[in-house]
Structures are given as C-alpha cells and as structure tokens.
C-alpha cells in the first residue's frame, strides 16, 4: 500500500490535516489504533480560538459548529468573593472564542472523511516507523488480524503523547522539556444548564475551579485536586459542595446542580519535544507538545501545527518546494512556546500550590489584582486567550 502522506492518529490533528490535504489534491491514509466509537467519545477541551474556528469553516467542517457552538466574548476571573470580567472582544479588536467540544470536532471530521471515501482505518495499530531519515519511510501496522506496510513520501505523527511516532526519532536527535505540576483536575459533565453565560476561572484558598459548558443543557466543571486523586472518592454531593465553596461570591449568584454523567482526573503537565521534524517524519499536536488545560491551548496548537503542515506538504508534493517543510519546526515552535508560557501563567496565577508559603500567596493575589485593574495586563491575557492569528510572527 502506498500514499503521499501517512498520518498516524485520528484525533483532531490527524483528521484535520487529512482534510486540508485532500482539498489540495494530496492523497493521505489515516491510521488510528482505537475504534471509531472510542475516538468519537473521548472527552477533551472545548474552547476554540478564532483562528481554529476560521480553519474549520474554510475546510468545510464548520457547519454544525456554527449551528451548535457557543460564541463567547469574555471570561470571568473570580477571587476574593468577587467576579471580574475580561472583555476579550473589546480588548482584541473583536476576536473571540467558540465553545464547541473537541469530541464534536472529531465527529465532524470523521464524517467528512468517510463521506469522501478517503482512507481512514480504525483499529489499525502502528508498531513502528522505519526509514524516517530516508526518501522512503514506511509505517508498519496491524489491521484486521494481519500485518501491513504503508509506504509514503512523508509520515506525520499525530498519535498523541504516548504514540509511536516520536519514539521513531533517535534519542540523540530530539530534546525534550517537561514540567509536572503538583495538582490535577477532577472534571465532570453534568446534565444541568450552565450557571453562567461565560467561563468562570476561580482562584480560592481551597484550590482552583472552572465553570465551563458543553451545550446550553450540559455543564462542564473542574476542581483542582491532588495528583493521586481517585475520582471514585468524590461522590456527587461532595463535588457540588466543593464547587459551591470555590465559586462563592458576594451577591445572589447560584451554582445549579444536576446529575453527573462523567468524571475523570486529568494530570497537569507541560511538555515540548524539539525539533518537530526528523527526515520525512513530522510531529504535530500532542505527539510534540502538551500544555496544562488552564489556557485552553491544546487543540488550538494542534490546529496551528497541521495548518502549517498542510501548506508545507502541498508546496513540497505539489510544487517540489520543500522550503516550508524546512522551516516547519522553527515556525511551529514559536507558537508552541508562546502557548506554553501562557498556560503556565494561567496555571500559576489561579491554582493553589501546596508548597506555597504566605509570601507566595500574597504575590499571587497581587498579580490577580493587577490583571483585573490594568488595561494593559488584561489585554495581554485576552490576546493570548483568543489566540494570535495563524501566520502571525510571535
């Protein structure tokens, strides 16, 4: 079997890259180790930057998003018993975000891929990538009980942090940077209308809390917890009681409760691998970098990566110009490190570090006060949150 681009992973990065290439007449095969049902039901973040929204619309994947997504012009920072709105649209010349779950983005892209008849193989487990540093890379995988080999001009690893693609790069040719945070998120989905029109990021002495939403009828909420937390130790009532405490504000605001349909614990870490290219193997999305979810950057970074890759691969395969592939890693990493810094900023600004002393806590409160009092500080937060235009030099 042969193709122009072998894409490992049918998450948003791999599926969107396949869609962008297809619209440029570039053939690809997408290999995914999990089942379609699993892929389409994985719960992930759901905040889309303006640039991500634009890319999905332009490639024909925005119809349901525009119909069902929730456009947000701002967020609320809540601390000290008061809420402070950051008007992102006003501070960034009208740029805003869309609340539309990654689960739904994946479903839309899967449907488009299948409708087009292009190759998308679920339960195709890749074992290794060979010859990445040659002109003829090969992907070895198992599907329908048999071993297969896929020859390609280029291989894109979009198979996540634990995937095989990054492991195909010799250890001496890649450098990794990592930070693990001393807390995690307990996230829930609840069948109850959101208690807020926009996201609430709450900083409290008991820990961080986030009120988000999936739809007008489904709420998504998070609590900062110790990293070794077992979600089974948190029954519904305990979760709602703790959320009530952390969202407490002077006034008549009330957190509505409802049946919890899903709960899970997400570790908090930052990770970057450099470079993002080894020969004809290119990395994108979580295979190359991880950000803590506080800044809502994971999915958006993946979209930025594959937007660059689609342009570079089209130039190389369609016009014999590989200059954009040569600069892909450096260009993508500038945005990656900007997002890493912003995610670190939001995480340390809002979470309670169990190792912090009174001095550190007072500094944190001073920083929060400054962000909501200074137009310049609020603008910096807003422009990072809504995302810089794709193609902007950062």
């Amino acid at each position: 079997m042969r193709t122009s681009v072998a894409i490992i992973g049918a998450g948003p990065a791999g599926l969107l890259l396949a869609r962008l290439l297809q619209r440029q007449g570039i053939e690809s095969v997408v290999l995914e180790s999990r089942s379609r049902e699993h892929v389409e039901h994985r719960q992930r973040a759901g905040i889309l930057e303006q640039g991500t929204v634009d890319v999905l619309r332009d490639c024909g994947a925005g119809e349901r998003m525009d119909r069902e997504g929730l456009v947000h012009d701002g967020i609320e920072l809540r601390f000290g018993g008061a809420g402070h709105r950051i008007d992102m649209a006003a501070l960034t010349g009208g740029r805003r975000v869309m609340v539309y779950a990654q689960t739904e983005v994946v479903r839309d892209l899967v449907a488009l891929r299948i409708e087009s008849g292009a190759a998308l193989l679920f339960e195709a487990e890749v074992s290794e990538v060979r010859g990445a540093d040659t002109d003829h890379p090969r992907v070895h995988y198992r599907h329908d009980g048999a071993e297969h080999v896929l020859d390609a001009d280029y291989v894109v690893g979009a198979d996540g942090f634990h995937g095989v693609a990054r492991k195909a790069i010799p250890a001496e040719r890649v450098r990794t940077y990592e930070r693990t945070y001393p807390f995690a998120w307990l996230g829930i989905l609840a069948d109850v209308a959101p208690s807020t029109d926009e996201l609430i990021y709450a900083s409290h002495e008991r820990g961080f809390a986030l009120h988000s939403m999936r739809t007008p009828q489904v709420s998504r909420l998070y609590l900062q917890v110790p990293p070794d937390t077992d979600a089974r130790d948190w029954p519904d009532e305990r979760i709602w009681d703790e959320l009530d405490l952390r969202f407490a504000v002077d006034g008549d605001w009330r957190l509505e409760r409802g049946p919890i349909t899903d709960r899970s614990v997400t570790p908090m870490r930052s990770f970057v691998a450099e470079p993002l290219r080894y020969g004809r193997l290119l990395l994108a999305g979580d295979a190359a970098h991880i950000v803590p979810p506080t800044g809502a950057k994971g999915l958006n970074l993946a979209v930025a990566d594959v937007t660059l890759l689609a342009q570079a691969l089209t130039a190389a395969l369609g016009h014999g110009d590989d200059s954009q592939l040569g600069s892909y890693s450096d260009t993508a990493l500038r945005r990656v490190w900007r997002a890493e810094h912003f995610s670190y900023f939001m995480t340390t600004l809002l979470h309670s570090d169990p190792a912090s002393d009174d001095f550190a806590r007072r500094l944190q409160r001073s920083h929060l006060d400054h962000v909501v009092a200074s137009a310049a500080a609020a603008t910096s937060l807003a422009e990072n949150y809504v995302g810089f235009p794709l193609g902007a030099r950062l």
Side-chain angles (χ1 to χ4, degrees):
M1 192 174 180
R2 177 167 183 79
T3 189
S4 295
V5 183
I7 300 173
I8 309 173
L15 289 167
L16 179 58
L17 175 60
R19 178 69 177 175
L20 294 171
L21 291 174
Q22 185 178 17
R23 289 172 69 86
Q24 295 299 321
I26 305 296
E27 181 190 47
S28 67
V29 173
V30 182
L31 304 173
E32 168 57 48
S33 63
R34 304 297 186 93
S35 68
R36 179 179 178 180
E37 180 181 7
H38 178 88
V39 167
E40 291 187 336
H41 288 85
R42 286 183 290 200
Q43 294 297 329
R44 294 290 188 272
I47 306 298
L48 309 185
E49 294 177 359
Q50 182 75 62
T52 296
V53 169
D54 294 341
V55 169
L56 291 172
R57 284 175 180 155
D58 290 346
C59 77
E63 181 180 348
R64 192 162 69 94
M65 174 191 69
D66 283 329
R67 186 172 65 248
E68 300 178 9
L70 307 173
V71 177
H72 284 194
D73 289 344
I75 60 172
E76 179 183 325
L77 300 182
R78 186 173 288 192
F79 59 94
H84 309 268
R85 184 172 186 266
I86 305 295
D87 190 336
M88 298 181 300
L91 293 167
T92 63
R95 295 177 68 80
R96 44 183 56 88
V97 298
M98 173 88 77
V99 177
Y100 188 65
Q102 178 173 316
T103 308
E104 307 308 320
V105 173
V106 168
R107 287 174 180 167
D108 295 341
L109 290 169
V110 167
L112 287 170
R113 184 72 175 177
I114 291 175
E115 180 183 357
S116 74
L120 168 56
L121 278 64
F122 290 104
E123 299 180 85
E125 186 170 0
V126 175
S127 57
E128 61 179 330
V129 178
R130 295 182 183 176
D133 58 343
T134 73
D135 292 339
H136 305 286
R138 313 185 87 188
V139 179
H140 294 251
Y141 67 98
R142 185 173 183 81
H143 185 245
D144 285 342
E147 301 294 334
H148 302 269
V149 176
L150 176 61
D151 292 304
D153 295 309
Y154 294 93
V155 177
V156 176
D159 51 345
F161 181 79
H162 298 290
V164 301
R166 193 175 68 249
K167 298 173 185 176
I169 304 176
E172 67 273 13
R173 298 295 298 272
V174 64
R175 183 173 183 180
T176 60
Y177 305 82
E178 188 165 9
R179 168 162 295 183
T180 301
Y181 296 87
F183 37 74
W185 277 11
L186 171 63
I188 66 166
L189 275 176
D191 284 341
V192 60
S195 305
T196 175
D197 293 329
E198 297 176 335
L199 274 67
I200 301 173
Y201 288 78
S203 178
H204 191 275
E205 61 184 11
R206 296 177 64 89
F208 169 77
L210 171 61
H211 190 323
S212 182
M213 61 283 294
R214 280 293 177 262
T215 71
Q217 297 79 36
V218 178
S219 296
R220 181 72 161 156
L221 302 105
Y222 300 91
L223 284 169
Q224 175 187 339
V225 293
D228 59 352
T229 294
D230 187 334
R232 294 171 296 184
D233 294 334
W234 283 78
D236 291 16
E237 186 174 2
R238 182 186 180 190
I239 291 173
W240 289 117
D241 287 347
E242 189 64 29
L243 287 167
D244 265 332
L245 285 170
R246 298 191 193 182
F247 285 124
V249 65
D250 298 334
D252 59 0
W253 185 87
R254 177 182 175 183
L255 177 66
E256 299 296 334
R257 301 187 178 200
I260 295 175
T261 59
D262 182 79
R263 74 195 71 205
S264 61
V265 175
T266 301
M268 303 282 284
R269 65 171 178 264
S270 301
F271 173 85
V272 180
E274 295 185 358
L276 306 187
R277 180 186 181 185
Y278 172 67
R280 291 186 173 233
L281 170 62
L282 302 119
L283 302 179
D286 287 357
H289 41 73
I290 298 286
V291 290
T294 327
K297 293 300 166 197
L299 170 59
N300 296 293
L301 276 181
V303 170
D305 286 349
V306 299
T307 301
L308 283 174
L309 267 183
Q311 296 168 353
L313 288 167
T314 298
L317 292 165
H319 309 290
D321 177 8
D322 63 357
S323 61
Q324 292 183 54
L325 282 175
S327 61
Y328 163 67
S329 182
D330 289 343
T331 303
L333 283 168
R334 283 196 292 270
R335 181 176 294 268
V336 168
W337 280 111
R338 175 86 303 272
E340 290 284 357
H341 183 266
F342 178 66
S343 299
Y344 168 82
F345 160 76
M346 289 288 284
T347 300
T348 55
L349 178 71
L350 296 164
H351 289 73
S352 297
D353 188 334
S356 291
D357 55 17
D358 289 342
F359 186 83
R361 284 188 284 273
R362 291 296 294 165
L363 288 177
Q364 183 185 45
R365 176 55 186 269
S366 175
H367 198 174
L368 282 164
D369 287 336
H370 175 65
V371 167
V372 300
S374 164
T379 299
S380 178
L381 187 156
E383 66 180 4
N384 278 275
Y385 194 93
V386 302
F388 297 94
L390 295 177
R393 186 172 179 86
L394 305 178

